[in-house]
Amino acid sequence: MSLNDLINHTSEWLKGSGPNSHIVMSSRVRLARNLEGIPFPNRANKKESQNVLKSVKEAILSIDSLKDALFLELEQVDSVDKQFLIERHLMSHEHALKPNNKALVVSNDEVVSIMINEEDHLRIQVMRSGFDLDESWRIIDNLDDELAKSLNFAFLSEWGYLTACPTNTGTALRGSVMLHLPALVMTKQINKILAAIAKLSFTTRGLYGEGTQASGNFFQISNQVSLGHSETEIFENLKGLIRQVIEQEEQARQALILQSREIVEDRVWRAYGTLRSSYIISSEETTELLSMVRLGSDLGIVKDIDRTFINELFIITQPAHLQKREGNKLSSSERDYKRASLIRSKLGGK
Amino acid sequence: MSLNDLINHTSEWLKGSGPNSHIVMSSRVRLARNLEGIPFPNRANKKESQNVLKSVKEAILSIDSLKDALFLELEQVDSVDKQFLIERHLMSHEHALKPNNKALVVSNDEVVSIMINEEDHLRIQVMRSGFDLDESWRIIDNLDDELAKSLNFAFLSEWGYLTACPTNTGTALRGSVMLHLPALVMTKQINKILAAIAKLSFTTRGLYGEGTQASGNFFQISNQVSLGHSETEIFENLKGLIRQVIEQEEQARQALILQSREIVEDRVWRAYGTLRSSYIISSEETTELLSMVRLGSDLGIVKDIDRTFINELFIITQPAHLQKREGNKLSSSERDYKRASLIRSKLGGK
């Protein structure tokens, strides 16, 4: 597989399938691992980092399920392609910033991605559609076992896995769930819920991870600390919380339909109409409008387009995706024009 | 003809025909006349006002072209119907406020309307589509001559026609032209032009006359004083000014198309898309969006709907028109819903 093959491919996490996929966009599990006896990436010298890269690459590609995976040394990847990988949630902004001795591995279905020499020597991610932390955990746990056969991970029985940042030490596990909560936003209950989540030692982030604002009514909820908690504890707490948020969103959607059906229909159809009509549109506005169309589809208001199709529109309208599709770099205003044109053609507009 | 027949009728001034109708919505000429020896309406007692009403009615209905005209005593007209007549520009707000001994006469084609006992005993109006002050003047001048055969108008050779407000004394003539100036608004030249107009002793008003804000990029320009000027002077000055404004708007449209075609197309199609999609819409938003669609039609961007159709939408979406169409009173939120539904059905939306 090559990087360019991804453009014609729907990431597993965008398929709009899986449990509770009317509210849960995707579930993600991440493990941090470091090689014993080698400084963490921010302290390692060039030679040490190159050695990490070499041995981790060998270990990964020797695993049966990853032998055909996409392997990218980031120094060879241009800026649009790096942005493209970030938009697909396959790697972090931080990983793209300083590409020296860094690499990214992506499985063919985009379920597994591994960053090498990011904050830790390995950042392993499994991402699936819907509310499916259990299956994501099963996959990543197997993968961790496979890797441990050939790599010697830094581990202390007292502390657990050692990581560059102490908040990750222990299980080095982070579970995140991306939720679409338009009804909680429209009914203005979201701030109360976000405040409660923060008190419970969970973190809420926007669509594009750490430091990003919530856009399109998407909220990523994840555990904040992993030190002193078992994997089971982390997952059960996170799953319990997510179940409650899902229930609140469901109630808010029902209340909206019962009490403000016309207002919801108006917002949904205006969003759809604007997407089908505009000739210039930013990615921010696109995200907000698609969020309303997704809600409309989930509520049965918009009948002729399905969730997978809408989810794909969120991604293919992002700046780097647009440029990959066009095959060349585009200025911001060129993108706004091409984006509108792409959306119109996808939605059967003028 | 009855008042209810008007609802299925397109007013002459909305036809979108006549000279320069891509920029000029309509031209209007108004004459104020008072009967000699009777106090102006604000000073007349009940008996005097009733006598004015009676003799003016007889004089009007004896004119051949007005013998089948709609004659309405305003005390018999309910509030929705009065609003309906205002929305059609057939009478003023002021005329509706205190209906005692007031009447309105409307010719079958809605070109001629005469208010009896408004500020003056007679306010005669002729309104036509496009930039057509000359023909409007010809019609009103004939009508004035006909009326003068049976009515004795208050006139002093030194002062001209006497009127309740001294600013109207003299010719008692007001010419107004309703212009659609979206390009001058979009290119932010409009304020400069309005300031120049004000310096030249002309008045600019909004779509619904005195005291109304400009909405939908419509501006009504009229002469401010009539005392000390001949009819010819008033018309030539007004026509000269309007010709200049038309030219400026034409230049602004050309500049927009050459320099910002994508931005104009975006605004036009978004407006069209929102009108076709919304489920709740105010009359203010409707007017603004229709203004953009009208511009789109005039620039050849929107090809499948013509100007008459758009002009009619401006009127039939007004509050009283909606209620007349529904056959009963509607609250503001009911109207916003019915308005959206009507527009969708007219524009072939969902």
Side-chain angles (χ1 to χ4, degrees):
Chain A
M1 190 171 76
S2 83
L3 191 148
N4 287 330
D5 293 335
L6 296 178
I7 189 88
N8 300 314
H9 181 252
T10 304
S11 307
E12 207 287 330
W13 69 274
L14 280 171
K15 288 194 171 147
S17 57
N20 300 98
S21 54
H22 61 310
I23 292 173
V24 182
M25 181 78 140
S26 57
S27 302
R28 191 169 70 99
V29 175
R30 183 268 285 156
L31 286 177
R33 294 290 182 263
N34 289 281
L35 303 191
E36 198 174 65
I38 305 175
F40 297 132
N42 61 334
R43 300 293 293 256
N45 61 34
K46 187 174 171 184
K47 182 117 181 77
E48 288 164 332
S49 291
Q50 285 174 338
N51 283 339
V52 170
L53 188 57
K54 187 166 172 287
S55 51
V56 172
K57 178 180 180 179
E58 273 172 26
I60 291 172
L61 298 184
S62 71
I63 296 173
D64 227 33
S65 63
L66 292 176
K67 68 177 191 296
D68 301 322
L70 179 64
F71 184 90
L72 299 166
E73 297 206 26
L74 289 200
E75 288 171 72
Q76 319 294 328
V77 178
D78 76 19
S79 61
V80 170
D81 281 344
K82 279 189 278 203
Q83 183 57 34
F84 172 81
L85 294 164
I86 294 167
E87 289 171 1
R88 292 182 88 80
H89 293 209
L90 294 170
M91 72 176 200
S92 65
H93 274 287
E94 293 65 32
H95 205 46
L97 284 179
K98 288 185 189 161
N100 316 46
N101 308 308
K102 288 183 167 61
L104 176 71
V105 181
V106 180
S107 72
N108 286 341
D109 56 5
E110 297 179 57
V111 169
V112 177
S113 64
I114 305 173
M115 291 186 283
I116 306 174
N117 284 330
E118 204 238 27
E119 187 179 295
D120 296 293
H121 294 148
L122 288 97
R123 283 283 179 108
I124 312 166
Q125 168 184 290
V126 167
M127 197 166 185
R128 291 179 59 78
S129 199
F131 186 25
D132 201 5
L133 286 169
D134 291 340
E135 177 62 9
S136 303
W137 168 249
R138 198 192 58 74
I139 294 170
I140 208 164
D141 193 31
N142 281 343
L143 193 56
D144 184 39
D145 291 348
E146 290 285 326
L147 288 168
K149 288 178 188 169
S150 51
L151 297 172
N152 205 6
F153 291 143
F155 181 88
L156 288 177
S157 57
E158 201 183 344
W159 288 99
Y161 290 98
L162 301 184
T163 54
C165 178
T167 58
N168 292 316
T169 302
T171 57
L173 171 68
R174 170 158 272 166
S176 318
V177 178
M178 177 94 74
L179 296 137
H180 187 228
L181 307 175
L184 288 173
V185 173
M186 285 176 82
T187 57
K188 300 189 168 57
Q189 297 172 74
I190 191 71
N191 288 336
K192 194 187 69 190
I193 288 169
L194 294 182
I197 291 171
K199 279 190 189 150
L200 293 166
S201 312
F202 293 92
T203 312
T204 319
R205 290 166 177 172
L207 193 50
Y208 289 96
E210 205 160 342
T212 65
Q213 286 285 314
S215 64
N217 307 307
F218 284 103
F219 297 87
Q220 217 179 121
I221 299 177
S222 54
N223 61 304
Q224 201 162 30
V225 280
S226 61
L227 184 62
H229 295 275
S230 72
E231 284 89 349
T232 313
E233 270 182 309
I234 291 172
F235 276 121
E236 289 313 313
N237 288 345
L238 183 59
K239 279 158 60 181
L241 174 72
I242 300 296
R243 272 192 292 265
Q244 285 180 55
V245 178
I246 291 172
E247 203 175 297
Q248 302 257 354
E249 171 69 14
E250 269 171 350
Q251 284 172 8
R253 289 185 185 187
Q254 276 172 28
L256 274 182
I257 279 296
L258 283 173
Q259 291 156 27
S260 323
R261 184 175 193 98
E262 292 167 3
I263 293 171
V264 177
E265 286 183 337
D266 183 57
R267 288 202 49 185
V268 166
W269 286 119
R270 277 174 180 252
Y272 192 41
T274 302
L275 287 167
R276 280 168 57 105
S277 309
S278 75
Y279 272 64
I280 299 172
I281 195 163
S282 68
S283 54
E284 293 75 18
E285 186 183 3
T286 302
T287 303
E288 296 303 328
L289 296 178
L290 284 173
S291 170
M292 280 298 111
V293 176
R294 194 185 198 271
L295 176 66
S297 168
D298 289 338
L299 293 177
I301 295 169
V302 179
K303 292 195 171 65
D304 50 349
I305 49 177
D306 70 6
R307 202 182 294 139
T308 316
F309 183 77
I310 300 168
N311 287 352
E312 277 190 319
L313 277 177
F314 278 107
I315 283 293
I316 65 175
T317 55
Q318 293 295 319
H321 274 74
L322 274 177
Q323 292 174 84
K324 291 293 286 179
R325 177 178 287 265
E326 287 295 317
N328 53 296
K329 287 213 175 196
L330 300 170
S331 70
S332 171
S333 61
E334 285 169 337
R335 290 201 300 271
D336 289 352
Y337 190 72
K338 291 285 180 192
R339 180 179 295 111
S341 162
L342 174 63
I343 296 169
R344 287 200 315 281
S345 80
K346 287 279 178 185
L347 293 179
K350 289 265 170 191
Chain B
M1 188 172 77
S2 84
L3 190 148
N4 288 331
D5 293 335
L6 295 178
I7 189 87
N8 300 314
H9 182 252
T10 304
S11 308
E12 207 285 330
W13 68 274
L14 280 171
K15 286 192 173 149
S17 56
N20 300 100
S21 54
H22 61 310
I23 292 174
V24 182
M25 182 79 140
S26 57
S27 301
R28 192 167 71 99
V29 175
R30 183 267 284 155
L31 286 178
R33 293 289 182 262
N34 289 280
L35 303 191
E36 198 175 65
I38 304 174
F40 296 133
N42 62 334
R43 300 294 292 257
N45 63 32
K46 188 174 171 184
K47 183 122 182 67
E48 288 165 332
S49 293
Q50 283 173 340
N51 283 340
V52 169
L53 188 57
K54 187 165 171 290
S55 51
V56 171
K57 178 179 179 179
E58 273 173 25
I60 291 172
L61 297 184
S62 70
I63 295 174
D64 226 34
S65 64
L66 291 176
K67 67 178 192 296
D68 301 322
L70 179 64
F71 184 89
L72 298 167
E73 297 206 28
L74 289 199
E75 288 172 71
Q76 320 293 329
V77 179
D78 75 19
S79 61
V80 170
D81 281 344
K82 278 188 279 204
Q83 183 57 33
F84 172 82
L85 294 164
I86 295 167
E87 289 171 2
R88 291 180 90 78
H89 293 209
L90 295 170
M91 70 176 201
S92 66
H93 274 286
E94 293 65 32
H95 205 47
L97 284 178
K98 288 185 189 161
N100 316 45
N101 308 309
K102 287 183 167 60
L104 177 71
V105 181
V106 179
S107 71
N108 286 342
D109 55 5
E110 298 180 56
V111 170
V112 177
S113 64
I114 305 173
M115 292 187 282
I116 306 175
N117 285 328
E118 203 236 27
E119 189 178 294
D120 296 294
H121 294 150
L122 287 99
R123 283 283 180 108
I124 311 165
Q125 168 183 289
V126 167
M127 197 166 185
R128 291 180 59 78
S129 199
F131 186 26
D132 201 4
L133 286 169
D134 291 339
E135 176 62 10
S136 304
W137 168 249
R138 198 192 58 73
I139 295 170
I140 209 165
D141 193 32
N142 281 342
L143 193 56
D144 184 38
D145 292 347
E146 291 284 327
L147 288 168
K149 287 177 188 168
S150 50
L151 297 172
N152 204 6
F153 292 142
F155 182 86
L156 288 177
S157 58
E158 200 184 345
W159 289 99
Y161 290 97
L162 302 182
T163 55
C165 178
T167 58
N168 293 315
T169 301
T171 57
L173 170 69
R174 170 158 273 168
S176 320
V177 177
M178 177 95 74
L179 295 139
H180 188 227
L181 307 175
L184 287 173
V185 173
M186 285 175 82
T187 57
K188 300 191 167 58
Q189 297 172 74
I190 191 72
N191 287 336
K192 193 187 68 191
I193 288 168
L194 294 181
I197 290 171
K199 278 189 192 153
L200 293 166
S201 313
F202 293 92
T203 313
T204 318
R205 292 165 176 173
L207 194 49
Y208 289 97
E210 205 160 340
T212 66
Q213 286 286 312
S215 65
N217 307 307
F218 284 103
F219 297 87
Q220 217 179 120
I221 300 177
S222 53
N223 60 304
Q224 202 162 29
V225 279
S226 59
L227 184 63
H229 295 274
S230 72
E231 284 90 349
T232 312
E233 271 182 308
I234 292 172
F235 275 121
E236 288 314 312
N237 288 345
L238 182 59
K239 279 158 60 180
L241 174 72
I242 300 296
R243 272 193 292 266
Q244 285 180 54
V245 178
I246 291 171
E247 203 175 295
Q248 301 257 354
E249 170 69 15
E250 268 171 351
Q251 284 173 9
R253 289 185 185 186
Q254 276 171 27
L256 274 182
I257 279 295
L258 283 174
Q259 291 156 27
S260 322
R261 183 175 194 98
E262 292 166 1
I263 292 171
V264 178
E265 286 182 338
D266 182 57
R267 288 201 51 186
V268 166
W269 286 117
R270 278 174 179 252
Y272 192 42
T274 301
L275 288 168
R276 280 167 58 104
S277 308
S278 74
Y279 273 65
I280 299 172
I281 195 163
S282 68
S283 54
E284 292 76 18
E285 186 182 3
T286 302
T287 303
E288 296 303 328
L289 297 177
L290 283 173
S291 169
M292 280 298 110
V293 176
R294 192 184 200 273
L295 176 67
S297 167
D298 289 337
L299 292 177
I301 294 170
V302 180
K303 291 194 172 65
D304 50 349
I305 48 177
D306 69 8
R307 203 182 292 141
T308 316
F309 184 77
I310 301 168
N311 286 351
E312 278 190 319
L313 277 176
F314 278 107
I315 283 292
I316 65 174
T317 55
Q318 293 295 319
H321 275 73
L322 274 177
Q323 293 175 81
K324 292 291 287 176
R325 178 178 286 265
E326 287 295 317
N328 53 294
K329 287 212 175 197
L330 300 170
S331 70
S332 171
S333 62
E334 285 169 336
R335 289 201 299 273
D336 289 352
Y337 191 71
K338 291 285 181 194
R339 180 180 297 110
S341 163
L342 172 64
I343 296 169
R344 289 200 313 280
S345 80
K346 286 281 178 184
L347 293 179
K350 289 266 170 189

